[in-house]
Amino acid sequence: AIHHFNDLIASFREVHRVLADGGRFVIFTSSPEQMQRYWLNAYFPRAMKLSIDQMPSVEVALECLRHAEFSIVGTESFLVEPDLTDFFLYSGKFQPHMYLNPAVRSGISTFANLASAEDIETGCRKLQNDIDTSRIHLVMNEYASTLGDYMFIVAETPNH
């Protein structure tokens, strides 16, 4: 959720303040580069552009963590798996039909906060057609990526 914070350094400083000495802070996020490879771009291009534009880069997140006096433990990419049951932006990577459900979209900030009703209607109509014709598999292949889908960033507070 770091893309929802207006001031990452202040937010990270608050986490640092309440975290015990030697505590670990794990951030689950995506990078703009990863998001550009989401096949959702083919169906919801305006909402995805807005979502990508608000996402801090991994480099920015790391720099803000350092400013908040965290030590960086490391980063690791994460691939969405077909059996994932959580709902977040690209959790339907292998279940495109889930984006047709308004209840699912309402819990994903890209759709709930950034997409217009017209963009959602147009994108869902195109997505439904591609699911019905199996073209969705071609689109998914066009957006295949080696960057991973999300990123874990791990930082820790110093032991005193």
Side-chain angles (χ1 to χ4, degrees):
I2 63 174
H3 58 286
H4 294 294
F5 300 133
N6 292 328
D7 185 341
L8 278 181
I9 295 172
S11 299
F12 292 165
R13 282 188 178 143
E14 182 61 12
V15 171
H16 188 281
R17 184 187 70 76
V18 299
L19 200 58
D21 288 350
R24 291 244 166 132
F25 179 32
V26 179
I27 300 168
F28 181 68
T29 189
S30 55
S31 71
E33 295 80 15
Q34 289 171 318
M35 293 175 71
Q36 290 166 351
R37 300 303 310 157
Y38 293 0
W39 58 256
L40 291 167
N41 286 287
Y43 301 96
F44 309 99
R46 282 184 236 160
M48 285 302 298
K49 180 177 180 345
L50 292 170
S51 190
I52 291 166
D53 289 348
Q54 73 175 358
M55 187 61 66
S57 70
V58 172
E59 294 77 19
V60 166
L62 292 171
E63 187 62 26
C64 291
L65 284 163
R66 288 185 191 100
H67 279 288
E69 300 182 22
F70 278 97
S71 297
I72 307 304
V73 174
T75 61
E76 186 171 328
S77 64
F78 173 83
L79 290 170
V80 169
E81 295 294 330
D83 61 348
L84 187 67
T85 57
D86 287 340
F87 293 124
F88 48 85
L89 179 59
Y90 207 39
S91 60
K93 175 182 178 180
F94 296 105
Q95 300 174 47
H97 62 278
M98 82 175 224
Y99 296 104
L100 301 174
N101 183 335
V104 170
R105 288 193 312 270
S106 71
I108 298 172
S109 64
T110 297
F111 295 105
N113 301 334
L114 302 175
S116 71
E118 179 183 341
D119 288 343
I120 289 173
E121 183 181 335
T122 301
C124 285
R125 190 174 35 241
K126 183 178 177 185
L127 178 58
Q128 181 67 67
N129 184 63
D130 283 0
I131 290 169
D132 292 346
T133 63
S134 296
R135 185 178 183 284
I136 184 64
H137 301 294
L138 296 173
V139 174
M140 291 166 80
N141 286 336
E142 288 173 19
Y143 281 87
S145 173
T146 59
L147 298 176
D149 302 315
Y150 286 87
M151 179 74 58
F152 287 106
I153 301 172
V154 183
E156 66 185 2
T157 60
N159 284 314
H160 292 278

